[in-house]
Amino acid sequence: MAAMKKALLAAVVAALAAFIGHRLLKLKQMTLTSRDVTVKHLSCHYLKNIEHGAEDITILKDGLAFLSTGLKYPGLPSFSDEPGKLYLLDLLHPRPSPLELQIEGKLDLSSFNPHGISVYINETDESVYLFVVNHPQHKSQVEIFRLDEEDTLVHLKTITHPLLHSVNDIVAVGVESFYATNDHAFPSDVLHFLTILLGLPWCDVVYYSPEEVKVAASGFLSANGINISPDKRYIYVSDIVDHEIDVLERQEDKELVYIKSVAVGSLCDNIEVDHRTGDLWMGCHPNPIKMYMFDPEDPPGSEVIQIKNIHSGQPVVSQKYVDDGHVIMASSVAAPYEGKLLVGSVFHKALCCDLK
């Protein structure tokens, strides 16, 4: 009997060790620890005034680009004690330069910490609404602004909800409605790490409107960037840890039905969609461990990936820009417009590149 107990204990220990070893190997694969990148540059220049990242960028059809800057995110470097800011850039100007947007209203700007952004245009009166994920004191909330003049945002509303506990990014679908990604299954970083280590796809996408709040889709390891197709039929979500872009179809009840996943081979952050072609552009992290273990002598690199024909049987995935971190560190977004490409980063600078 004693020998049987010992054998059973040895089998359990061996199985546990094998499981832990397997999960650690998967974790190394998720974080791309052994990946080498080859530099592939474009003709680019730095955007003025952007010194502490442009974590998210979105561009309207008329060439107006909104940028969120100064993000402070747990575990990542931050090189500024100042609150975050929002900028506007006119890409139709011969020499576009970011203009800091003034914010009016009751929002506490001393703790403003902007993350993902999205714009909604009301077709009735062509009013422009800017939705911003905000993390004051590392909380999770969504701010809604209206563009009042060319350099002024009026704060309209702050939205919080138990389902919006770890919001990363957002895509607006109405004046007060949106889909938002939760990049943590739990608000606790420790519990979130355990879900990643164990490979539990427990993150979700939440639909919010004043009338209804619900989980619209689930099954993500870590839901990050989100955007919408030009025809408003499909939602795209970056499952960043899984190295995939998921395609989901909108339903009348606001739920999202999974259609397919496209492998991208990198940890892609935000998603932007070309208004003309419907192509997807992502700012990605080719060696994310370097972000968390920051060394200025060996900085985290940047990567821009494009997906063409995502709804076809053979989507085309290609690298458009790669840097080893000596030009731009930790790219998080890539937004195209009429032959130009804006590349933003989590905590570094922003580039304006020529695609032609």
Side-chain angles (χ1 to χ4, degrees):
M1 182 66 71
M4 184 177 296
K5 286 183 178 180
K6 286 184 179 180
L8 182 59
L9 179 61
V12 170
V13 170
L16 181 61
F19 175 76
I20 293 174
H22 172 70
R23 293 314 309 170
L24 289 175
L25 178 61
K26 290 293 291 183
L27 188 62
K28 288 182 66 176
Q29 293 172 348
M30 289 177 187
T31 54
L32 304 175
T33 52
S34 61
R35 185 183 182 210
D36 293 321
V37 294
T38 302
V39 168
K40 180 179 181 180
H41 282 164
L42 296 167
S43 175
C44 305
H45 65 269
Y46 290 121
L47 289 178
K48 293 180 179 179
N49 306 323
I50 308 299
E51 299 295 334
H52 304 295
E55 200 282 335
D56 203 4
I57 301 171
T58 189
I59 306 176
L60 305 185
K61 291 180 180 180
D62 63 3
L64 285 180
F66 292 86
L67 300 84
S68 66
T69 72
L71 173 66
K72 297 169 182 63
Y73 193 83
L76 295 182
S78 175
F79 302 105
S80 173
D81 294 327
E82 296 181 2
K85 298 177 181 178
L86 298 170
Y87 284 84
L88 187 67
L89 180 71
D90 184 359
L91 288 170
L92 295 181
H93 193 280
R95 295 183 178 179
S97 180
L99 172 70
E100 182 181 348
L101 286 164
Q102 304 303 306
I103 297 176
E104 297 180 351
K106 296 181 180 180
L107 180 66
D108 179 9
L109 296 180
S110 67
S111 60
F112 189 43
N113 190 15
H115 199 169
I117 61 176
S118 181
V119 171
Y120 181 80
I121 299 178
N122 188 345
E123 295 181 356
T124 303
D125 59 7
E126 297 188 346
S127 296
V128 177
Y129 295 86
L130 180 66
F131 291 63
V132 180
V133 178
N134 184 20
H135 303 297
Q137 293 87 39
H138 303 303
K139 298 175 185 176
S140 178
Q141 58 195 53
V142 175
E143 316 292 352
I144 302 180
F145 303 89
R146 184 183 69 246
L147 185 64
D148 196 33
E149 299 174 6
E150 64 178 20
D151 65 345
T152 303
L153 290 171
V154 177
H155 183 250
L156 302 177
K157 190 175 184 178
T158 295
I159 295 170
T160 61
H161 191 276
L163 288 179
L164 301 170
H165 55 79
S166 305
V167 178
N168 182 294
D169 197 15
I170 186 171
V171 59
V173 293
V175 173
E176 291 188 59
S177 57
F178 55 84
Y179 290 94
T181 55
N182 281 316
D183 59 12
H184 284 46
F186 303 98
S188 165
D189 288 333
V190 174
L191 290 177
H192 172 63
F193 177 76
L194 283 175
T195 64
I196 296 296
L197 181 62
L198 296 175
L200 302 174
W202 287 357
C203 290
D204 52 32
V205 173
V206 174
Y207 172 76
Y208 176 93
S209 74
E211 298 77 31
E212 180 181 24
V213 186
K214 64 191 293 186
V215 172
S218 57
F220 306 93
L221 274 175
S222 184
N224 202 287
I226 185 170
N227 218 314
I228 194 167
S229 61
D231 62 6
K232 313 302 181 186
R233 180 179 175 184
Y234 298 98
I235 295 289
Y236 307 118
V237 177
S238 174
D239 196 343
I240 186 169
V241 179
D242 219 13
H243 310 163
E244 291 181 339
I245 302 299
D246 294 334
V247 180
L248 305 106
E249 188 172 23
R250 298 175 68 189
Q251 306 297 301
E252 289 187 7
D253 62 1
K254 312 305 180 186
E255 292 195 4
L256 302 174
V257 173
Y258 174 83
I259 301 297
K260 65 191 291 188
S261 296
V262 178
V264 288
S266 188
L267 276 79
C268 289
D269 204 318
N270 292 305
I271 303 170
E272 292 303 312
V273 179
D274 189 308
H275 295 290
R276 293 186 303 103
T277 65
D279 296 343
L280 275 62
W281 292 75
M282 286 77 62
C284 309
H285 306 292
N287 35 32
I289 288 297
K290 293 183 179 182
M291 282 198 303
Y292 291 93
M293 303 177 65
F294 183 74
D295 177 1
E297 299 300 319
D298 186 22
S302 293
E303 183 176 23
V304 172
I305 290 178
Q306 178 196 34
I307 303 178
K308 296 176 71 69
N309 303 321
I310 192 168
H311 296 286
S312 71
Q314 294 183 316
V316 179
V317 180
S318 58
Q319 283 181 330
K320 292 301 180 180
Y321 179 90
V322 185
D323 182 61
D324 58 9
H326 289 88
V327 174
I328 186 167
M329 296 184 249
S331 59
S332 55
V333 61
Y337 185 79
E338 301 294 338
K340 295 187 181 298
L341 182 70
L342 300 183
V343 181
S345 66
V346 179
F347 53 79
H348 190 213
K349 294 180 180 290
L351 298 174
C352 181
C353 304
D354 192 349
L355 288 172
K356 295 181 179 179

